[in-house]
């Protein structure tokens, strides 16, 4: 099972442009023989979208773009895991959508919302339920979104533990993780702790670029189940 990590630079608010980047990445992933292409957190909106994501017209534009990308997966190419704001039952979530076989095959919502430092997600998003894994072509993926892996902070749900207990075979973590000095080591330590607890390999995909005062350094990586670094 081959996976492409799309470590890209979305532009906040440019839904059409971000969708075009996703489309191009999928074309490249298909050429590379991938079964799945994974994008960073809230990719279709850009991260962090702040109050823009509270506008109904923007929510609708993001949803329409995801639905269009989903239809395009009917061509038999790679499935997509792509981040988007998503309104369900009147609540706005930080979501990850699985697009495959021409449809939105699954949605998972971020459970643990960061609200410290540069993060302000509790004001904007509803906290999702603790998720179970999603199945992509016979492989069961756990999708903890960014903060869902940082269980050592505050009163958080242990999302990774729940995913392991409900049959996930591999963890895929979409992130909008800004840079600060020594951040890469901090991320690795958090990821290794989750791999140790769950016994599952982990793929971490982060965006690159800048948004206002934030810098995103990419530094995506994978950790094998034996806690060795597969690549970075």
């Amino acid at each position: 099972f081959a996976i492409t990590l799309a470590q890209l630079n979305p532009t906040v608010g440019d839904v059409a442009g971000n969708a075009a980047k996703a489309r191009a990445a999928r074309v490249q992933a298909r050429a590379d023989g991938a079964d799945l292409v994974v994008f960073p957190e809230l990719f279709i909106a850009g991260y962090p979208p702040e109050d823009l994501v509270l506008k109904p017209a923007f929510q609708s534009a993001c949803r329409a773009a995801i639905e269009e990308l989903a239809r395009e997966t009917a061509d038999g190419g790679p499935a997509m895991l792509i981040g988007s704001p998503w309104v369900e039952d009147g609540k706005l979530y930080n979501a990850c959508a699985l697009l495959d076989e021409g449809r939105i095959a699954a949605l998972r919502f971020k459970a643990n919302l960061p609200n410290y430092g540069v993060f302000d997600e509790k004001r904007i998003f509803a906290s999702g339920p603790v998720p179970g894994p999603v199945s992509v072509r016979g492989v069961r993926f756990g999708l903890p979104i960014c903060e869902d892996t940082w269980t050592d902070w505050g009163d958080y749900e242990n999302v990774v533990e729940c995913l392991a207990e409900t049959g996930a075979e591999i963890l895929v973590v979409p992130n909008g993780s800004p840079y600060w000095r020594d951040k890469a080591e901090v991320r690795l330590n958090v990821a290794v702790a989750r791999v140790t607890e769950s016994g599952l390999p982990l793929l971490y995909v982060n965006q690159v670029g800048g948004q206002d005062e934030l810098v995103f350094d990419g530094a995506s990586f994978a950790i094998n189940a034996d806690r060795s670094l597969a690549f970075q």
Side-chain angles (χ1 to χ4, degrees), residues 51-74:
D51 288 20
L52 179 61
V53 82
L54 298 174
K55 295 181 179 292
F58 185 69
Q59 297 165 3
S60 296
C62 290
R63 187 178 189 122
I66 293 294
E67 289 171 345
E68 177 62 27
L69 288 170
R71 285 190 287 272
E72 293 169 16
T73 63

Side-chain angles (χ1 to χ4, degrees), residues 30-49:
R30 184 172 194 163
D32 292 339
D35 300 288
L36 174 67
V37 55
V38 182
F39 296 87
E41 180 178 12
L42 289 178
F43 183 82
I44 207 74
Y47 189 86

Side-chain angles (χ1 to χ4, degrees), residues 142-187:
L143 303 177
I145 301 172
C146 200
E147 196 75 8
D148 286 338
T149 60
W150 294 63
T151 52
D152 304 327
W153 299 38
D155 185 24
Y156 278 3
E157 297 281 0
N158 195 326
V159 173
V160 170
E161 181 180 62
C162 178
L163 288 165
E165 289 174 352
T166 50
E169 296 173 89
I170 184 169
L171 301 170
V172 172
V173 188
N175 297 270
S177 180
Y179 171 82
W180 62 70
R181 193 176 297 166
D182 301 323
K183 183 69 171 287
E185 186 176 350
V186 173
R187 293 188 195 117

